[in-house]
Amino acid sequence: MRFTTRQVLRLVLAAVLTTVTGLFALPRADACACGGMFVREGSSLTVPTEKALVVHSGGRTDVTMSLLVRSEVRDAGLVVPTPAPATVSLADNDTFLALDRATSPIRKDRWHLIGSDGDTAVSGAATPNGASEASGVQELSSIDLGPLRATTLKAGDPASLRQWLSTRGYTVRPAVQHILDQYVAKGWAFVAMQLTSAGRKLYGDIPPVTMSYADKQFVYPMLLSQAATIDPVVTTYVLSDRRVQRTDSSARSTSVETRFAADMRKRRGTVTAPIRDAVAKAPYLTVLEQGFDAPHKQIVSDFTFGRAATDAEHIPVAYNDKYVFTPAQFTFVVFALVAMMVGTVVLVDRRRRTRSAA
């Protein structure tokens, strides 16, 4: 059975709506790229999409996250593990719009003999707090970011972290808690973000949040997505001094696609205000994408990055396909040529016969 383009789009839209509708029923806590989302027992919260900008410079990593959240709860939270205590701040609301524009394809015309016009293809400052009421958890800082309050903390043991979350009414799925326990055992810190009164009944984009931490390994926390109940597709915009590639074990479980790679100092016209400071610190932008259809088996590590074998640019191209003839025009031309050839043959034959008769 053949489908028209409109029919295919309708099928895709129906599949997306079905997926998003199913996500609204997510119970308790779920995992998403970088962190774990938590709500009170009996409430629901979903994170259909997430974007992350990872900037590595001077022994520090800045992770800026943008989450599209669907929630009708008054209390919701995100817990992000970091290898060292992080400082948290709000990022520019247009950060990811600026990244999308900076990595948009170059448009070129591509000519064909036959076809229909219009076809396009693309190739390839925080306030210190004291210890919390949960024994073994130290709240290092807390800052009000408007719709969110961010608390940086360290846990001396897994039980203390569980108690810290429990006293705030959040129920953690065993699979998520098991991974949190691993981070505690490694001595990692956590950033816990909760909705404030300004963020009640939040429905849409949480303002981008930047977490900055000391990091010699160039790591993006990802292991919590091993417990994801959906199949995640993770896109990381990575700014460093050179082009990067993934160096972790999870990179070998499924293919990692390089969507974009370029030294943004050579593309200053595409660098706008929201990302200008980040590009000044780390000028080479690499966009990597990886999908997982079995995250519990395929996500076996955090993401780590290292220098790629080459700094060659990889910039996608969007082709505007143009055609000399439409199918109808080409058919007409063929018939016209055939008619002319037949007419010529007939005319030549008639002249030959006339000469022979004479």
Side-chain angles (χ1 to χ4, degrees), residues 299-323:
I299 301 177
V300 296
S301 65
D302 295 310
F303 287 0
T304 56
F305 305 91
R307 182 176 175 180
T310 175
D311 286 332
E313 293 189 341
H314 173 77
I315 301 174
V317 177
Y319 290 102
N320 295 319
D321 290 325
K322 297 182 177 296
Y323 304 91

Side-chain angles (χ1 to χ4, degrees), residues 86-101:
T87 57
V88 188
S89 60
L90 285 181
D92 192 299
N93 281 329
D94 293 330
T95 296
F96 291 94
L97 178 60
L99 285 169
D100 288 341
R101 289 174 175 171

Side-chain angles (χ1 to χ4, degrees), residues 112-127:
H112 307 269
L113 180 62
I114 308 170
S116 300
D117 288 338
D119 296 337
T120 301
V122 179
S123 65
T127 304

Side-chain angles (χ1 to χ4, degrees), residues 129-142:
N129 282 353
S132 75
E133 65 274 14
S135 178
V137 172
Q138 182 183 8
E139 295 184 4
L140 303 176
S141 64
S142 184

Side-chain angles (χ1 to χ4, degrees), residues 21-44:
T21 301
L23 287 173
F24 271 91
L26 256 173
R28 302 185 181 181
D30 195 30
C32 61
C34 193
M37 300 297 300
F38 301 91
V39 295
R40 293 186 183 275
E41 183 72 25
S43 302
S44 65

Side-chain angles (χ1 to χ4, degrees), residues 243 261-264 266-267 284 311-315:
R243 178 172 171 172
D263 188 333
M264 302 309 289
K266 301 177 183 178
R267 294 170 55 84
Y284 204 107
D311 286 332
E313 293 189 341
H314 173 77
I315 301 174

Side-chain angles (χ1 to χ4, degrees), residues 262-309:
D263 188 333
M264 302 309 289
R265 290 172 297 189
K266 301 177 183 178
R267 294 170 55 84
R268 293 187 183 276
T270 67
V271 178
T272 53
I275 60 173
R276 193 165 290 138
D277 289 345
V279 170
K281 290 195 298 184
Y284 204 107
L285 176 60
T286 311
V287 183
L288 302 172
E289 183 172 280
Q290 184 178 18
F292 302 92
D293 54 15
H296 61 291
K297 296 180 180 179
Q298 298 165 339
I299 301 177
V300 296
S301 65
D302 295 310
F303 287 0
T304 56
F305 305 91
R307 182 176 175 180

